[in-house]
Amino acid sequence: MQPSPASPPRGSSIRRFLRLAMPYWSGERRWQAGAATLLLVLLTLGQVALAVWISYWNRALFDALEARAMRAVLVQGGLFVLIFVLTIAVTALHLHVKRWLQLDWRRWLSRRLLDTWLTEHRLYQLGFAAGDHDNPDARIAEDIRIATESAIGLAHSLLFSLLILGSFTDILLQVSGSLSLPGTGIVVPGYLVWLAVLYAGIGTVLGTLLGRPLVKATNRLQTFEANLRYGLAREREHAESIALLRGEAVERHRAEALFDDVGRGWNRQTLSYLGIVSFSTAYGTLLPVFPILIAAPQYIAGVMTLGVLMQAAQAFQRLTSALSWPIDNLGELARCRASTDRILSLYEDLQALELEQRTPSHSRIEVHSDSERKLVLRALRLADPSGRVLAEDIDFVVRCGERVLIEGDPSVALCLFRAVAGMWPWGQGEIALPAGQEIVFLPQRPYFPDGSLKAALSYPHDEAGFSPAAMRHVLECVGAAWLAPRLDERDSWDHVLPLRARQRLAIARVLLQGPSWVFLEEATNALDPEAERLLIELLLRELPDATVLLISFRSDMSRHFTRSLRLQRVRNERARDLSPHASAEA
């Protein structure tokens, strides 16, 4: 499935991310988010106020030491205790509010993507869509965490730096005095401020140049890390099949290859870090010494006291650090940008998929409801995601209460199963579903969520809607009475039960829920022919009024059904082939 040409223009990453994430502050969570944001700003102002207070306290302390005034030193010691307690309190409260806001924003943004991903079969169809959206689970679980935590952390540090910049520029202007350039007669007022700007400017330019490759290297590494997580999770998911096929060596080599990619990405990031870390170390080592050396002549000349000298040095460091915010946060900016791009790519591809689903098109199968409560396949053409036609001219009607056997080409039958379920839009024609009646689809490999066996039997409904007695009865009917004592037991049923037991359990789930329509895709083929026959007979007997469609390729199944649909694959498989072929026989 190609992205719709009507997809919205993408623009810059920042604007796109703001369109995605900022409704958190204007939607239903706006009061909580606004209150937390306001409190965070106020606490940041408190942090800056304490930093300014420390600056003046530092000046007073060194002046007292220079004057050898013991009483004044003791007074400053008492003030320091007060500053110390307030600093701890403000910092702790600030951390709590910031982390609450990060988690709440992450929860909101995760729900927004989950609501778009886990609806209208997009979870399945996204795997066939064009675009950069690999590992959507990792993007939702990990990249949203990184983006929200980093964005709020960076916003706070930027606000703090701007406030520090304003506060300590004023302090430095007051204490640095003026500098006369020898032999020129030129006087530079507040020269330490200009030196701080020059120092930070040179550092920012050089740091930006040295750190430019870091964004690309970080993005690449995060992609490799996500691929490794996905590969290992897939091996865990299919552990039994891998072990039975003796495929451990192949999987080990595959995992090693994925880790080799991570190693290459890590080394590239390391090289990108080397230059900027070396520069940052030199830059930071020089910073405490530089302002003292520059202002020392004024102190020696008696123009400023020791306290003023130390306050000037501290103000210079604070001001330079504030001006150096871009270079200090370059790594975090790169990390945030990489995760933001991965989130945006997934969300925008999901939007394109949603737009394509909602836009009427003759190149997609249309699924709607039929008021006469019957299943209608009309002029149906099935294709694969590339546009290659698999089968066409399928016209068939299934009425309430009928029993229909679907035979023929397995791949075409599977596509039809998915198309009726609304999962397979590729092709043309229409499918009308019985209005007001839900069709239960039973795949060959049924899914059971982790949890109690009651929840597995009730899925996707609430287990409270079914009695334990009814559950035990259906388990006994399908030959799985040995599971009845485990109804309250919690386990990973998809892993602890073999396929044949899971298929029996899936039939039990259908009997328990008693739907009016059942569509089975080789849902009992893991059983031996006799057991399969008995299970199908049980299903038809226990649900006498249900409409049952069964995809099966065993010849002895036809006697249980009143009608059959034989599907044939077209011979000429050209991409987007529109030539007529008779491909369905009723």
Side-chain angles (χ1 to χ4, degrees):
M1 179 182 293
Q2 300 299 321
S4 170
S7 299
R10 300 211 163 180
S12 74
S13 294
I14 296 177
R15 287 198 301 271
R16 287 155 50 209
F17 185 70
L18 289 177
R19 284 198 300 269
L20 170 63
M22 289 307 291
Y24 168 70
W25 276 272
S26 58
E28 60 182 13
R29 300 287 297 169
R30 61 183 179 275
W31 296 113
Q32 297 93 326
T37 304
L38 177 60
L39 183 56
L40 198 64
V41 171
L42 293 175
L43 289 169
T44 304
L45 288 170
Q47 289 178 318
V48 173
L50 287 168
V52 172
W53 192 0
I54 279 284
S55 173
Y56 281 101
W57 174 88
N58 196 56
R59 173 178 173 173
L61 175 66
F62 278 98
D63 281 342
L65 290 172
E66 186 179 33
R68 292 177 171 80
M70 189 62 189
R71 181 180 178 83
V73 170
L74 292 175
V75 170
Q76 295 306 314
L79 284 175
F80 178 76
V81 172
L82 177 60
I83 295 172
F84 179 76
V85 171
L86 289 175
T87 299
I88 291 176
V90 170
T91 301
L93 185 56
H94 180 277
L95 178 65
H96 177 74
V97 174
K98 183 177 76 171
R99 287 180 63 83
W100 182 92
L101 190 58
Q102 288 170 329
L103 178 61
D104 201 59
W105 190 22
R106 177 187 174 186
R107 180 187 293 114
W108 178 89
L109 188 54
S110 296
R111 284 177 177 169
R112 184 167 187 183
L113 262 74
L114 286 171
D115 288 345
T116 309
W117 184 44
L118 298 178
T119 187
E120 298 184 18
H121 312 297
R122 291 183 205 131
L123 168 68
Y124 174 77
Q125 293 176 5
L126 186 67
F128 299 94
D132 177 20
H133 46 248
D134 58 346
N135 306 318
D137 51 332
R139 295 181 188 226
I140 293 173
E142 185 67 12
D143 287 305
I144 288 180
R145 179 189 67 81
I146 294 172
T148 51
E149 288 181 5
S150 296
I152 291 177
L154 288 168
H156 160 253
S157 64
L158 178 59
L159 175 62
F160 181 81
S161 295
L162 291 174
L163 293 173
I164 287 290
L165 182 64
S167 301
F168 281 88
T169 297
D170 182 62
I171 291 174
L172 202 55
L173 284 172
Q174 293 177 26
V175 301
S176 63
S178 302
L179 176 67
S180 299
L181 298 179
T184 64
I186 298 175
V187 178
V188 182
Y191 71 99
L192 285 179
V193 174
W194 300 110
L195 281 176
V197 171
L198 180 63
Y199 187 93
I202 293 173
T204 299
V205 171
L206 291 178
T208 302
L209 292 175
L210 290 170
R212 185 171 291 173
L214 193 58
V215 173
K216 185 177 180 181
T218 301
N219 195 0
R220 188 180 183 88
L221 177 59
Q222 288 182 209
T223 299
F224 289 148
E225 294 278 11
N227 290 339
L228 176 61
R229 287 193 300 270
Y230 175 78
L232 295 177
R234 183 171 173 79
E235 290 172 359
R236 173 179 54 80
E237 181 180 353
H238 299 280
E240 181 182 7
S241 298
I242 293 170
L244 290 172
L245 292 170
R246 304 291 191 270
E248 290 95 337
V250 176
E251 298 302 325
R252 186 167 60 251
H253 289 310
R254 188 171 296 166
E256 289 172 355
L258 290 172
F259 193 82
D260 287 342
D261 289 339
V262 172
R264 285 191 291 272
W266 181 273
N267 290 333
R268 285 193 178 188
Q269 190 187 49
T270 300
L271 290 174
S272 301
Y273 267 126
L274 281 177
I276 191 169
V277 168
S278 300
F279 171 74
S280 297
T281 301
Y283 181 86
T285 302
L286 181 60
L287 182 57
V289 179
F290 183 75
I292 294 177
L293 294 177
I294 294 298
Q298 287 183 293
Y299 171 71
I300 293 171
V303 175
M304 59 173 60
T305 65
L306 179 61
V308 172
L309 174 64
M310 299 310 296
Q311 185 183 27
Q314 187 186 60
F316 185 94
Q317 292 179 52
R318 289 281 193 174
L319 183 58
T320 306
S321 296
L323 290 169
S324 302
W325 182 89
I327 190 60
D328 291 341
N329 291 278
L330 189 61
E332 190 65 15
L333 284 167
R335 185 165 169 259
C336 183
R337 171 66 182 274
S339 290
T340 298
D341 285 344
R342 285 171 57 80
I343 296 168
L344 287 170
S345 180
L346 172 62
Y347 181 71
E348 288 164 351
D349 287 344
L350 284 169
Q351 278 192 313
L353 187 58
E354 179 182 6
L355 183 61
E356 186 168 345
Q357 287 177 336
R358 301 191 186 285
T359 303
S361 172
H362 295 295
S363 61
R364 189 174 65 249
I365 298 171
E366 297 295 329
V367 182
H368 57 85
S369 297
D370 187 281
S371 59
E372 298 182 20
R373 297 191 175 184
K374 59 187 178 182
L375 173 64
V376 181
L377 311 178
R378 186 175 293 116
L380 185 63
R381 173 184 290 122
L382 298 171
D384 66 14
S386 69
R388 182 178 58 184
V389 176
L390 303 177
E392 59 184 352
D393 296 337
I394 303 175
D395 290 279
F396 198 75
V397 178
V398 182
R399 294 175 177 82
C400 287
E402 288 192 309
R403 311 294 172 80
V404 179
L405 177 66
I406 300 175
E407 307 171 288
D409 186 277
S411 61
V412 176
L414 180 57
C415 286
L416 178 64
F417 178 79
R418 293 171 175 171
V420 175
M423 298 165 53
W424 195 267
W426 300 285
Q428 291 179 352
E430 62 177 297
I431 297 174
L433 302 177
Q437 295 184 336
E438 180 185 4
I439 301 181
V440 170
F441 294 89
L442 219 60
Q444 183 182 36
R445 304 185 68 85
Y447 167 73
F448 296 98
D450 293 349
S452 70
L453 187 57
K454 285 182 178 179
L457 278 173
S458 308
Y459 186 84
H461 304 291
D462 188 348
E463 63 183 81
F466 306 95
S467 69
M471 293 182 182
R472 285 191 290 269
H473 173 71
V474 295
L475 287 175
E476 184 177 348
C477 287
V478 301
W482 56 279
L483 284 171
R486 304 178 66 183
L487 279 174
D488 292 312
E489 186 176 326
R490 303 179 67 85
D491 212 330
S492 298
W493 304 105
D494 272 347
H495 293 92
V496 301
L497 296 179
L499 179 58
R500 60 183 180 275
R502 298 204 305 274
Q503 288 189 343
R504 288 183 183 273
L505 206 59
I507 297 295
R509 183 160 62 189
V510 172
L511 295 179
L512 180 68
Q513 299 179 12
S516 300
W517 288 69
V518 184
F519 197 161
L520 304 97
E521 179 244 329
E522 293 194 278
T524 54
N525 70 337
L527 304 170
D528 62 81
E530 179 63 17
E532 183 178 27
R533 179 185 66 79
L534 292 173
L535 209 55
I536 293 299
E537 287 179 353
L538 170 71
L539 177 67
L540 299 177
R541 184 174 63 252
E542 293 293 320
L543 300 177
D545 299 323
T547 307
V548 179
L549 298 91
L550 172 67
I551 296 174
S552 178
F553 306 103
R554 289 182 174 173
S555 58
D556 59 343
M557 278 292 165
S558 58
R559 59 180 173 170
H560 302 295
F561 294 84
T562 56
R563 301 177 63 199
S564 66
L565 172 65
R566 179 171 292 276
L567 298 169
Q568 296 179 353
R569 192 183 184 97
V570 297
R571 296 181 181 277
N572 188 5
E573 297 181 347
R574 293 182 291 114
R576 305 197 180 278
D577 185 0
L578 300 180
S579 60
H581 295 279
S583 58
E585 299 175 358

